[in-house]
Amino acid sequence: MKIIDILKTANSNIWQSKLRTSLTIIAVFIGAFTLTLTNGIGSGISQYIDEQVNNIGAKNVLLIRAKQSSDTPASSDAPHKYDPERNTFQIGGMSITVLTTADIAKIKKVKGITAVTPRRGVFPRYVYGPNGAKFTLSVNQYVDGTNVTMNAGKVPDNRSTTPQIDLPANYVKPLGFASYQDAIGKKVTLGIADADDNISEVTATIVGVPQKSLFSFVGTGINSALFNQLFDEQSVGWPDAFLDRFPGATAHFDSSLTDSQLRDLKNRLNNQGYDGQTVEDRIGIVSKVIGGIVIVFDIFALVALLAASFGVINTLLMSVQERTREIGLMKAMGMGRSRIFLLFSVEAILLGFWGSFLGVIAAVGAGQILNRFAAHHFLKDFEGLHLLAFPIVNLAIIILVIMFVAFLAGTLPASRASRLNPIEALRYE
């Protein structure tokens, strides 16, 4: 019997009991449907994260902070000795180490670092626009070289002496602007409090409206002129020692460094008491968390496939029992054990194929509907994010994997069929 004949015969055989075969295919369908959806979520979010990494740019930037002590008063029975070499604050039972001007100078001397800028925090109380309605707003100093996908306008210019801000898209209408483009070139006012809680107001020009991102550090950017003006107002009344403390620093390094050389640079910083991370490192943490969640979902899908495999075994064992005389006749006519084994194995593979194919098609259809719903509802602010993505290669792999699982499930009944004694099989009633 030729391979094409085996395929035709196997496909015909599995449909001799339509109800049993349909129930088995439905079991495989459920596993394939679940596995395709979970894989689609992982692919969709991974693609978005990769796009964000490429869009962010600034690949030669390290975000540096002082290495933090793992020991805190809350985690130990004994108090810890004071170390005058570490500039620390006690916050909620935790010891937070900050950088000083001396640390900045030290980081600049590390081989591979080309420039270092200390990072301070500014915390406006509110922002308002033409309509006078006040809203809270968090701001970050824009890092040169960072690419931001814009709805309108451009990123702030750190060389400009004019205070500039990128206004978040969801602030445009509440502040009184008609559209993204209408906001460009207009003014907003930020209120910031000093040490005595006296509020000063600083006016800034809107230069851009960025698209919303999953990563807050590319969100509300302001240029150096606005940042410095806000910090000057905020630090009125601060002790001089507070002006010499920074939560972190932004360092630029030679963009031609290889991955190995970059790891060496991070190690040199680590040896001197500093932690350095690239933007991609930080996003990688998000990616790992999402990957872990998707793996958990995949496990549930594999459990469903395991249950479906027992359905395949049951279907084929019943088929072997019902077709015992037929198998004996095939053997009597010269069909070898290997061909009998192949015939039942192909039947198992076809059960896996039809279940996985239909499950994948249904999952892709459901995914497209879910993507449209998400884009108009809970993900409407994240332009370019498709919750589920279905690369053709991934779909093909899912189908092949399920067909292989079905083949493994079919080896027991196929082996039993191939070992039947032809004389005993012909006598079977």
Side-chain angles (χ1 to χ4, degrees):
M1 184 179 286
K2 297 179 181 180
I3 296 297
I4 188 67
D5 294 326
I6 288 177
L7 285 171
K8 290 179 179 178
T9 302
N11 192 57
S12 174
N13 288 340
I14 64 174
W15 293 107
Q16 287 182 7
S17 177
K18 293 183 175 59
L19 178 60
R20 187 169 63 217
T21 296
S22 298
L23 291 175
T24 303
I25 288 176
I26 288 172
V28 178
F29 170 93
I30 293 171
F33 181 82
T34 308
L35 187 60
T36 304
L37 283 182
T38 57
N39 187 268
I41 292 173
S43 297
I45 296 178
S46 295
Q47 284 181 12
Y48 182 69
I49 289 175
D50 290 341
E51 290 172 3
Q52 292 295 308
V53 172
N54 293 331
N55 287 341
I56 288 170
K59 297 183 183 297
N60 65 330
V61 171
L62 278 174
L63 305 175
I64 299 176
R65 64 174 190 153
K67 221 186 322 188
Q68 304 298 312
S69 171
S70 59
D71 296 324
T72 66
S75 63
S76 175
D77 293 332
H80 299 289
K81 290 184 178 180
Y82 167 70
D83 184 355
E85 299 298 321
R86 296 177 67 86
N87 294 280
T88 60
F89 290 94
Q90 295 296 325
I91 302 176
M94 297 183 63
S95 181
I96 308 298
T97 305
V98 296
L99 301 177
T100 65
T101 303
D103 290 310
I104 301 300
K106 189 177 178 181
I107 294 170
K108 284 181 180 178
K109 294 179 181 179
V110 175
K111 182 180 178 183
I113 298 294
T114 58
V116 182
T117 304
R119 286 191 290 119
R120 293 186 172 100
V122 292
F123 309 99
R125 290 287 182 86
Y126 57 79
V127 62
Y128 66 86
N131 64 7
K134 294 180 179 179
F135 299 90
T136 58
L137 178 70
S138 297
V139 298
N140 298 298
Q141 184 172 7
Y142 173 73
V143 177
D144 284 326
T146 303
N147 299 323
V148 183
T149 304
M150 309 298 292
N151 287 310
K154 60 182 181 180
V155 296
D157 183 0
N158 283 327
R159 296 168 296 180
S160 174
T161 57
T162 302
Q164 296 179 350
I165 185 172
D166 273 351
L167 191 67
N170 57 334
Y171 277 67
V172 170
K173 290 188 177 179
L175 291 183
F177 302 107
S179 64
Y180 299 152
Q181 197 61 48
D182 176 58
I184 304 302
K186 302 291 177 59
K187 306 285 186 181
V188 291
T189 301
L190 296 92
I192 193 161
D194 61 18
D196 296 322
D197 210 32
N198 298 314
I199 295 181
S200 301
E201 294 189 339
V202 177
T203 299
T205 301
I206 302 169
V207 294
V209 178
Q211 289 184 1
K212 190 171 183 179
S213 166
L214 283 177
F215 311 107
S216 60
F217 49 83
V218 294
T220 310
I222 61 176
N223 69 344
S224 297
L226 177 56
F227 184 91
N228 292 334
Q229 196 168 343
L230 289 171
F231 185 80
D232 288 344
E233 297 294 342
Q234 176 180 272
S235 59
V236 171
W238 282 14
D240 291 342
F242 273 54
L243 299 176
D244 187 39
R245 287 177 170 83
F246 317 105
T250 302
H252 285 77
F253 58 88
D254 187 349
S255 57
S256 65
L257 293 182
T258 62
D259 290 341
S260 176
Q261 291 171 328
L262 180 55
R263 282 194 299 271
D264 291 339
L265 172 56
K266 292 177 184 178
N267 289 333
R268 287 195 293 274
L269 287 167
N270 188 67
N271 292 336
Q272 297 197 39
Y274 309 108
D275 287 327
Q277 286 187 320
T278 62
V279 173
E280 191 169 356
D281 290 335
R282 291 196 169 188
I283 294 178
I285 295 172
V286 178
S287 182
K288 288 179 181 178
V289 171
I290 293 172
I293 294 172
V294 170
I295 287 174
V296 172
F297 286 139
D298 283 343
I299 290 174
F300 284 109
L302 291 175
V303 170
L305 282 178
L306 180 62
S309 67
F310 286 104
V312 172
I313 294 172
N314 179 67
T315 296
L316 292 181
L317 283 175
M318 293 293 292
S319 180
V320 170
Q321 185 175 355
E322 292 171 355
R323 293 156 55 197
T324 299
R325 294 192 65 180
E326 179 185 335
I327 295 169
L329 182 60
M330 287 189 290
K331 282 197 165 188
M333 294 177 65
M335 195 169 184
R337 289 182 59 179
S338 61
R339 290 289 176 174
I340 298 290
F341 181 87
L342 179 60
L343 176 63
F344 280 88
S345 294
V346 170
E347 290 182 23
I349 291 171
L350 286 174
L351 288 172
F353 169 76
W354 287 117
S356 61
F357 178 75
L358 295 174
V360 164
I361 295 299
V364 171
Q368 298 303 323
I369 295 172
L370 185 57
N371 277 337
R372 292 193 191 97
F373 177 81
H376 291 90
H377 292 84
F378 58 93
L379 292 180
K380 63 181 179 180
D381 292 327
F382 297 96
E383 298 182 30
L385 171 57
H386 298 287
L387 185 61
L388 297 100
F390 303 99
I392 295 296
V393 173
N394 289 12
L395 299 181
I397 290 174
I398 289 172
I399 292 175
L400 290 175
V401 166
I402 294 176
M403 289 172 65
F404 180 71
V405 170
F407 164 74
L408 293 179
T411 54
L412 175 61
S415 178
R416 176 173 294 186
S418 67
R419 292 199 309 268
L420 284 176
N421 184 299
I423 296 176
E424 294 296 328
L426 287 170
R427 290 176 179 173
Y428 182 81
E429 291 296 338

